[in-house]
Amino acid sequence: MPDSRALRVNRSQTPDTVLDGVDWPGPTLLLAGVALLAWTVSGLDDGGRLLAGAVGTMATVIVGIVWITVEHLRFRARQDEDSG
């Protein structure tokens, strides 16, 4: 195994790390939306809980989808920039 101190890397050519391609907030928000949906469905007798759960579910799912889309576009732009 080569010694990592022997690798010369300029600041503009920093290597990618394992977590560069991981997008945790988006899937976490989608999971929170599913949990809120379950909480909402379990309390259908209570009108306030139904309204709060529906709004919370819609908000977290929409924000999660937007977050994943923005991160995907950012990652693709970075790859295009590195290759071109």
Side-chain angles (χ1 to χ4, degrees), residues 36 39-40 43-59:
L36 276 171
W39 178 74
T40 303
L44 286 179
D45 295 341
D46 186 12
R49 183 172 172 173
L50 178 64
L51 179 63
V55 170
T57 299
M58 286 177 28

Side-chain angles (χ1 to χ4, degrees):
M1 180 174 226
D3 186 9
S4 63
R5 291 174 287 168
L7 297 175
R8 292 185 177 241
V9 177
N10 296 336
R11 286 213 182 263
S12 63
Q13 298 175 347
T14 56
D16 293 334
T17 63
V18 173
L19 294 178
D20 279 347
V22 176
D23 175 36
W24 289 109
T28 304
L29 284 167
L30 290 178
L31 182 64
V34 171
L36 276 171
L37 180 63
W39 178 74
T40 303
V41 172
S42 68
L44 286 179
D45 295 341
D46 186 12
R49 183 172 172 173
L50 178 64
L51 179 63
V55 170
T57 299
M58 286 177 28
T60 54
V61 167
I62 289 170
V63 171
I65 290 171
V66 168
W67 193 298
I68 289 172
T69 303
V70 168
E71 284 295 313
H72 176 72
L73 293 174
R74 184 188 65 83
F75 189 71
R76 293 277 307 264
R78 183 175 172 202
Q79 282 184 338
D80 291 344
E81 182 181 289
D82 289 343
S83 66

